[in-house]
Amino acid sequence: MSNPPPSPGSHGTDAGTSCAASSSDELLENSTHAIFKHFKFKHKEHGKQQKYWCKYCPVSFTGTAYRCAQHITSWDGMRRREVRKCEEVGKEEQAAVRAFQTAKVLAREEAHRAEESALDAVSGRGKRKITDYLSDDAQAAKAAADEAICLLFAGLRLPERHADHPLWRNAVRSIARAGTSYVPPKRDYVGGAGLQLCRKRIDEGLTGVMSSWKRHGVTIASDMMTDKCGRPQANVMLVNDTGAVFVESIDCKMEKKTGGYIARLLRPILQKVGVENIVAFCTDGGSNYHSACRLLIAENPRIEHVPCATHVLDLLMEDVGRQAWAKEVVGRASELINYTRSHHWTRQYLRGVDGGKGLQMLRPAGTRFGTQHIAVSRLVELRSTLVTMVLCDAWKAEWAVGPKKAAAETFHDQIMDKDWWPAAELFKRLLLLPMACPLHVVGRILNPVNQEERIFGPDTECTNVFKAFIARHYGGVMIPQRDGLPKRATLLLQEGLAAFLKLRGSFGTAEAISDRKLVKEGSYSMEAWWEWHGTDHPLLMALACRVLTQPVSASSCERNWAVWDTVHTARRNRLGSEKCKDLVYVAHNWKVVHNWHMADEGAGVVSGNIPDAPVPAGYRVDREEEDEEGEDEELLDEYL
């Protein structure tokens, strides 16, 4: 990893003055904090990870004070060893950081013991309960409220886990703040004006998510299904790395679901979102959707069509499943799985593995999305457990005699058959090749994990696909340069790609190469990698972030149909399409707003940036538990 660039100006004098005077690219210091004074850091954007440079050695990493202390001391009290120890720091500095961390751990343990004592009082585990401090009338009122809540859950057959749901707890707090004069709304308001008010608040909360569409673009995903009443429905989702927003569901009854009809449904969505913000269409393999995408792309040539990877791979696996050897593998696996699942003894044996956490068999189903491959993979994973089961004394005592002896012997022979398991292993390791989609090819080239020059050369197919892609999207575009002379965008992209693949400039630094490992591990996003190391080629960086933040499947549509099924059930099948749409809109998009807010808090906005739009009141649910790293980052928040 490379040393950080020299920080302009003075740092470490005064916290407020330093932050106010520093720009977003300036490195900051904290000369007073016991841990952060050994590092330099930058302002960071909303939702991004904080990055630190060690002052003693050429190492940089993302994280919080927890990982900073681990780098300085390699302290034994750390739960994980994620950052290598600094070899240049002095022993005095190590001892100071170690003492600071030890004192903080002791203080945390003392606070934990105090919290446990308080919980003992509340739950009745201690000598006194919290109700002991209440008056008789208050105790009776609390008991009546608890009884009413329990009766609500039991009478409406609600799962007990809903008592911990943030929406439920937020509703109870709101009722408590309203006072004893509060009268709950009637059903007409809940399903009418109240529902529309919730939808309006959700729209306000989605403003921050929508701001990412202008920066990195968004993909339109759509799918069709038939509801409980036999009505054909089509949903439309807007998806990128910030989440999948449910936009619309259309009742397609009395209509022929042709490509022209679907194109007419999607055109208003394009106008609403903005054609310039649309990167691609992602649909299943239906001919009507393919026809609709061709019509819309003819009108907007810069939009790509991405076939849903899940549906395409399912069709590919169906073709593989028609092969004779694959049929034999699936047939034998079905027999083994059915035998195991149809006997209580075998099921209880598998449950008892690993202290009662043993994996269970998965049965191949007649549905889509490769259930046969999943079932065979699980069977291969349990091979050693099954061999142990059929060789144990308990198996022999249970199945050695009796009418089920013949079936048990057949099962034993199949488990011990060494010739069949290699075929099952091959079925599990099927390598599914990437699809020939231009957006996938460009994403393959710009993925930092695949930063290899060999995939892009004069004789590779990727070369022609990439050139055609940038010509279609950037053909005729001129970019002003520092010398005042414009330059073709396609030429700038080719120069940037050459530097990326040949590891030149900022792409070839030790820090960039090391961060690729973090991307491969999943602890560092590809978008963050490009925004940090691709600043020398801003046009290529913008293209990479735009491509790598898009989905490769329309699975978000399937998840939205799962929400639809919880709303429009067999017992609630008289709901109209519009009412169902409003209920699904609130139920689905509330999670998007909630996750956006949680990601904002979890990242720790240390640069002082304010989110694009505040989450409306009632939808910002406070987390009741904070992890240790979140506590460490609050120290940096206070400094900035």
Side-chain angles (χ1 to χ4, degrees), residues 211 220 267 309 341 399 506 531 588 631:
S211 64
I220 294 181
R267 283 194 185 96
R341 292 177 62 92
W399 306 106
S506 60
E531 290 181 345
H588 181 98
E631 295 174 358

Side-chain angles (χ1 to χ4, degrees), residues 129-266:
K129 300 180 181 179
I130 192 172
T131 53
D132 295 339
Y133 299 93
L134 302 177
S135 63
D136 294 340
D137 293 341
Q139 292 185 30
K142 182 182 183 303
D146 292 343
E147 182 181 353
I149 291 175
C150 295
L151 181 61
L152 170 69
F153 275 78
L156 297 182
R157 299 177 295 279
L158 298 176
E160 292 82 1
R161 66 177 183 274
H162 290 346
D164 297 328
H165 197 280
L167 282 179
W168 161 255
R169 305 189 74 83
N170 183 71
V172 173
R173 295 191 189 102
S174 300
I175 294 173
R177 287 193 294 266
T180 57
S181 60
Y182 174 75
V183 178
K186 299 291 184 66
R187 57 179 295 180
D188 293 339
Y189 178 82
V190 172
L195 181 60
Q196 296 305 318
L197 179 62
C198 292
R199 178 161 183 164
K200 181 180 178 181
R201 294 289 184 266
I202 291 293
D203 289 337
E204 295 174 1
L206 287 174
T207 307
V209 180
M210 294 178 181
S211 64
S212 66
W213 300 349
K214 295 181 180 180
R215 297 196 306 269
H216 297 149
V218 69
T219 294
I220 294 181
S222 182
D223 190 25
M224 283 191 175
M225 74 106 179
T226 303
D227 63 13
K228 294 290 189 301
C229 296
R231 297 173 301 196
Q233 303 283 343
N235 64 356
V236 181
M237 311 287 294
L238 295 175
V239 192
N240 65 4
D241 63 333
T242 60
V245 177
F246 171 61
V247 180
E248 188 69 70
S249 65
I250 301 108
D251 191 343
C252 304
K253 62 183 178 182
M254 307 302 294
E255 297 285 352
K256 291 184 177 180
K257 275 66 74 177
T258 62
Y261 173 71
I262 296 177
R264 290 197 302 271
L265 297 181
L266 296 180

Side-chain angles (χ1 to χ4, degrees), residues 368-437:
R368 308 187 69 174
F369 311 117
T371 58
Q372 294 180 349
H373 183 271
I374 296 173
V376 174
S377 300
R378 174 62 62 84
L379 183 63
V380 172
E381 188 176 355
L382 292 173
R383 178 186 179 182
S384 60
T385 303
L386 294 173
V387 171
T388 303
M389 181 182 69
V390 299
L391 294 179
C392 68
D393 295 335
W395 170 271
K396 298 177 181 178
E398 181 72 19
W399 306 106
V401 295
K404 299 180 180 180
K405 178 180 178 181
E409 290 179 349
T410 302
F411 179 82
H412 174 275
D413 296 340
Q414 291 177 342
I415 292 296
M416 302 304 296
D417 186 2
K418 297 182 179 180
D419 297 332
W420 178 79
W421 287 103
E425 291 276 0
L426 177 61
F427 191 87
K428 176 186 175 182
R429 297 195 307 267
L430 285 176
L431 298 179
L432 304 176
L433 300 178
M435 292 168 288
C437 171

Side-chain angles (χ1 to χ4, degrees), residues 66 97 271 332 359 380 450:
Y66 179 87
V97 173
Q271 301 301 325
R332 177 76 68 85
L359 297 175
V380 172
N450 303 323

Side-chain angles (χ1 to χ4, degrees), residues 212-214 216-222 236-247 266 269-270 273-283 293 303-308 439-440 545-557:
S212 66
W213 300 349
K214 295 181 180 180
H216 297 149
V218 69
T219 294
I220 294 181
S222 182
V236 181
M237 311 287 294
L238 295 175
V239 192
N240 65 4
D241 63 333
T242 60
V245 177
F246 171 61
V247 180
L266 296 180
I269 308 297
L270 268 68
V273 179
V275 177
E276 68 280 1
N277 298 325
I278 305 298
V279 177
F281 298 107
C282 186
T283 64
C293 291
I303 301 179
E304 300 288 333
H305 179 214
V306 180
C308 174
L439 204 65
H440 291 166
C545 293
R546 190 174 178 87
V547 171
L548 296 174
T549 54
Q550 304 308 313
V552 297
S553 73
S555 299
S556 56
C557 295

Side-chain angles (χ1 to χ4, degrees), residues 117-133:
S117 300
L119 290 175
D120 288 343
V122 173
S123 61
R125 293 180 297 179
K127 296 181 179 180
R128 302 191 67 183
K129 300 180 181 179
I130 192 172
T131 53
D132 295 339
Y133 299 93

